[in-house]
Amino acid sequence: MTRWRALFHDPRRLVIEDRLKGVERVVPVMSPKGGVGKTVVSVLIALALVDEGLKVGVLDLDVTNPSIHLALGVDTQLRPSEERGVIPPDVKGVKVMTVAYYSSGNPLPLRGAELVDVVREVLAITVWGVLDYLIVDTPPGMSDVFMEVLNNVRGAEPLVVTTPSVLSLNPVKSLLKILGEVGTPILGVVENMSDRSSEHVVSLCREHGVRYLGNIPLDPLLNVSLGDVYKIRETQAYGRVKELLRTQRLPHYA
């Protein structure tokens, strides 16, 4: 009955389910606060997973301000091929999907129903095939895109990014509370731009029963390496992400 109700409401919801059936784990990278480094963390995780021989995709759902293509050095002059949907180009071993392929650098001011429609369309048309991980870069906040991911991506396991700043941490409390209330399994919390683990971040994770995955140091070299995946892999931040993924024993990770 639930499937028929979804079909009546918007048939794309069933298409999205079919598009993601070959993806073992979907990890939306989330934060209510902007400027905490979600995009960069998404890229670091994706590259680290690829380097372990895993099949990985990255989806940029920050459709009004896409930036994954900039961080990975994707040539948006190329167009994804199409065969019963849009096939994300392979960029250094990562399948990358972004609206930047079609916007030609022009702004995409969207809100409300328009934004929801674009997000559902991207989810519905993208052919991922078989993946071990799909990393989803989401915009800051807990509004339309946030709700679309929770409502349409079955089995999503959000990874929450914060910094040690109280300006970032307080909104994260609200995010963890909401995710807990709706029963969404949280992969863990990453403390970004921090040279060491902060007790107040660790305490927050303990309070909500969420894994604290660790800290990623502020790395000046990382900023100037964006756009070049080879240079990114030489950064301290990348090495730290690889270490975190290994010590946290994520599935399929050595």
Side-chain angles (χ1 to χ4, degrees):
M1 179 63 78
T2 301
R3 288 174 60 86
W4 287 111
R5 189 178 294 122
L7 179 61
F8 179 77
H9 183 72
D10 187 338
R12 287 178 298 186
R13 289 185 163 180
L14 296 182
V15 176
I16 292 169
E17 186 176 324
D18 187 63
R19 294 297 196 198
L20 295 174
K21 66 183 180 184
V23 180
E24 186 145 349
R25 306 194 76 169
V26 181
V27 180
V29 179
M30 295 180 163
S31 175
K33 193 72 175 174
V36 301
K38 290 186 305 302
T39 298
V40 173
V41 170
S42 299
V43 166
L44 293 174
I45 291 173
L47 293 177
L49 292 170
V50 166
D51 287 349
E52 290 297 325
L54 300 177
K55 297 176 180 176
V56 181
V58 172
L59 172 60
D60 193 345
L61 280 186
D62 193 350
V63 295
T64 61
N65 187 32
S67 52
I68 277 286
H69 62 292
L70 299 174
L72 284 170
V74 178
D75 180 4
T76 55
Q77 297 301 310
L78 300 174
R79 291 288 181 271
S81 59
E82 297 185 14
E83 185 176 346
R84 297 183 179 181
V86 174
I87 301 173
D90 186 297
V91 181
K92 309 294 189 299
V94 183
K95 291 184 176 180
V96 181
M97 183 60 182
T98 169
V99 297
Y101 293 128
Y102 307 101
S103 62
S104 302
N106 295 313
L108 288 173
L110 300 168
R111 66 177 181 179
E114 294 173 322
L115 181 57
V116 168
D117 190 55
V118 170
V119 169
R120 283 188 193 172
E121 194 67 17
V122 171
L123 287 169
I125 65 173
T126 307
V127 180
W128 292 106
V130 176
L131 293 178
D132 294 305
Y133 280 89
L134 175 61
I135 309 299
V136 184
D137 185 26
T138 65
M142 294 183 287
S143 56
D144 295 321
V145 177
F146 171 77
M147 296 304 298
E148 282 300 300
V149 171
L150 292 188
N151 289 332
N152 294 312
V153 181
R154 182 177 296 181
E157 303 169 87
L159 183 148
V160 177
V161 180
T162 185
T163 70
S165 167
V166 67
L167 298 179
S168 169
L169 203 55
N170 271 354
V172 164
K173 291 181 184 177
S174 301
L175 175 60
L176 295 179
K177 182 178 180 181
I178 291 173
L179 292 175
E181 287 177 349
V182 299
T184 300
I186 303 171
L187 189 62
V189 173
V190 166
E191 182 181 359
N192 194 27
M193 299 185 242
S194 180
D195 290 334
R196 61 184 61 84
S197 297
S198 303
E199 181 53 37
H200 54 296
V201 181
V202 175
S203 296
L204 178 65
C205 293
R206 193 180 302 124
E207 177 186 337
H208 289 270
V210 177
R211 279 200 302 175
Y212 174 78
L213 298 177
N215 67 294
I216 302 173
L218 181 62
D219 184 350
L221 182 60
L222 180 58
N223 194 44
V224 298
S225 301
L226 295 176
D228 186 328
V229 297
Y230 299 106
K231 290 183 178 178
I232 290 174
R233 287 184 169 103
E234 296 174 356
T235 64
Q236 181 186 4
Y238 176 72
R240 177 59 175 158
V241 166
K242 289 197 73 172
E243 178 186 354
L244 293 180
L245 294 180
R246 185 172 294 112
T247 56
Q248 294 299 329
R249 298 179 182 277
L250 294 186
H252 308 296
Y253 202 87

